[in-house]
Amino acid sequence: MGLLSEPATGYELKQVFDQTLRHFWRAELSQIYPCLKKLEARGLLQSEHQPSSRGPARQVYRRTAAGQRELEVWLNSPPDLSPPRLSFLAQFLHHGELGDLTRSRRFVLRLQEGFENQLRAFEALEEHWFGSGEDLPDDLFHGYLSLRFGLLRTQASLAWCDETLAQLDRRLAERGARAEEDEK
Amino acid sequence: MGLLSEPATGYELKQVFDQTLRHFWRAELSQIYPCLKKLEARGLLQSEHQPSSRGPARQVYRRTAAGQRELEVWLNSPPDLSPPRLSFLAQFLHHGELGDLTRSRRFVLRLQEGFENQLRAFEALEEHWFGSGEDLPDDLFHGYLSLRFGLLRTQASLAWCDETLAQLDRRLAERGARAEEDEK
DNA sequence: GGATTCATGTAATCAGTTACATGATTTC
DNA sequence: GAAATCATGTAACTGATTACATGAATCC
């Protein structure tokens, strides 16, 4: 609903998800199309069949007055902060079972790589949409701040990787030292 | 599977979720029980019916050798970094539609409150399980680092709240100033 | 002629939540 | 006697993913 500030087709919404929201929301076409129909059936959206000059006909959706009201109700509702499941953290948590810290080390290196890619993607988005971040027009203001959220969190994740690698290396060094002593 | 390093009942697993994993994974009993049965049907777990001295009989599950192997395969599989959906960010992103920054401000204050509660919960857990964080026994090491992850991310979220409130206030001040000028 | 993009959808399946249902034991 | 805790589950529903299916227009 939020994305339909301008009328759009399901296909176009998908592109918005892929190009600008992918750091905190993704959606497949197979979810978008049925969802749009459902919202139309509830009277929150209204669609129009438009034959297109190039390519197949497009189904263009726009909000109804009722849809606008529902959206505003949602925007004013309290935020849900229940933490999402992080499977990689669950994996890491049980890495103790493997009894081999070098595995954990490799795992964290992969995480680090992933977070660095995310960070670069954020920076590219920031560059593309917002430049320096100063004097933003109203319609970009919230988008910029949402991006900042992702950026700060990813930086924190990278800081964790550094901290964790340091701790792992310290443990591994202690092990190594103890093993050498045992040999004597 | 990961939680069954020691044999346990579904009820006990639920308590682990609630008491120590709630910052990145939650599960309801109505999910846990069928899941345990499914894993047993797949031969990854094995259960034993134990009449209990106090209260109803308990169904105690333990990993089988096959279950142990599957677990290790999962632990060694690459991390999934696809970002989870954050509904509160989606809300904030579209707050521009409301045309009233004081609403956004109130929203961010609520977020801040929520994150502060999270932070306090983390600190309580840290205190309870790990004390200073120095010289941890092997079985607490990964748990401690997982907690650190949540802590660092929540701190980053709070930093975002501060930054965002400052930006909102700056905008609101500019608006106010401009409105006053218009009055003259 | 072949690949890519535009454009729409359905079906099967999986994961997870909410609500419902039961009942013993312990604590106050 | 009432409330809380221990203990197990089922049913209905919702949300989301994967795979399947179709077909025109454009670009190389």
Side-chain angles (χ1 to χ4, degrees), chain A residues 95-147:
Chain A
H95 257 234
E97 301 253 339
L98 292 172
D100 175 6
L101 291 183
T102 63
R103 299 259 173 186
S104 294
R105 193 171 192 285
R106 230 170 301 161
F107 190 78
V108 177
L109 284 172
R110 280 198 220 165
L111 281 178
Q112 190 176 45
E113 201 191 320
F115 288 132
E116 268 161 12
N117 288 338
Q118 274 184 18
L119 192 66
R120 275 193 290 273
F122 281 134
E123 285 165 353
L125 269 179
E126 192 173 21
E127 171 84 9
H128 179 242
W129 287 100
F130 310 109
S132 72
E134 294 300 304
D135 299 320
L136 288 169
D138 284 3
D139 55 329
L140 289 184
F141 182 61
H142 289 84
Y144 171 71
L145 290 170
S146 302
L147 186 65

Side-chain angles (χ1 to χ4, degrees), chain A residues 13-125:
Chain A
L13 292 182
K14 168 67 172 159
Q15 295 180 327
V16 176
F17 281 118
D18 287 352
Q19 285 160 27
T20 80
L21 303 182
R22 64 173 182 284
H23 71 284
F24 74 97
W25 204 291
R26 287 194 297 152
E28 300 304 317
L29 284 170
S30 58
Q31 189 191 359
I32 293 170
Y33 287 126
C35 184
L36 288 170
K37 288 195 165 179
K38 234 168 149 182
L39 290 170
E40 187 171 26
R42 285 178 52 195
L44 306 179
L45 295 179
Q46 202 183 350
S47 75
E48 202 186 340
H49 194 78
Q50 279 184 357
S52 155
S53 53
R54 53 191 67 205
R58 300 145 42 86
Q59 198 71 22
V60 182
Y61 289 85
R62 71 185 66 234
R63 284 182 213 142
T64 62
Q68 182 68 31
R69 273 195 303 276
E70 278 267 301
L71 175 62
E72 283 171 21
V73 167
W74 175 66
L75 290 177
N76 284 313
S77 66
D80 170 16
L81 280 151
S82 59
R85 291 180 181 180
L86 299 177
S87 67
F88 64 84
L89 248 201
Q91 274 171 294
F92 181 80
L93 175 62
H94 294 111
H95 257 234
E97 301 253 339
L98 292 172
D100 175 6
L101 291 183
T102 63
R103 299 259 173 186
S104 294
R105 193 171 192 285
R106 230 170 301 161
F107 190 78
V108 177
L109 284 172
R110 280 198 220 165
L111 281 178
Q112 190 176 45
E113 201 191 320
F115 288 132
E116 268 161 12
N117 288 338
Q118 274 184 18
L119 192 66
R120 275 193 290 273
F122 281 134
E123 285 165 353
L125 269 179

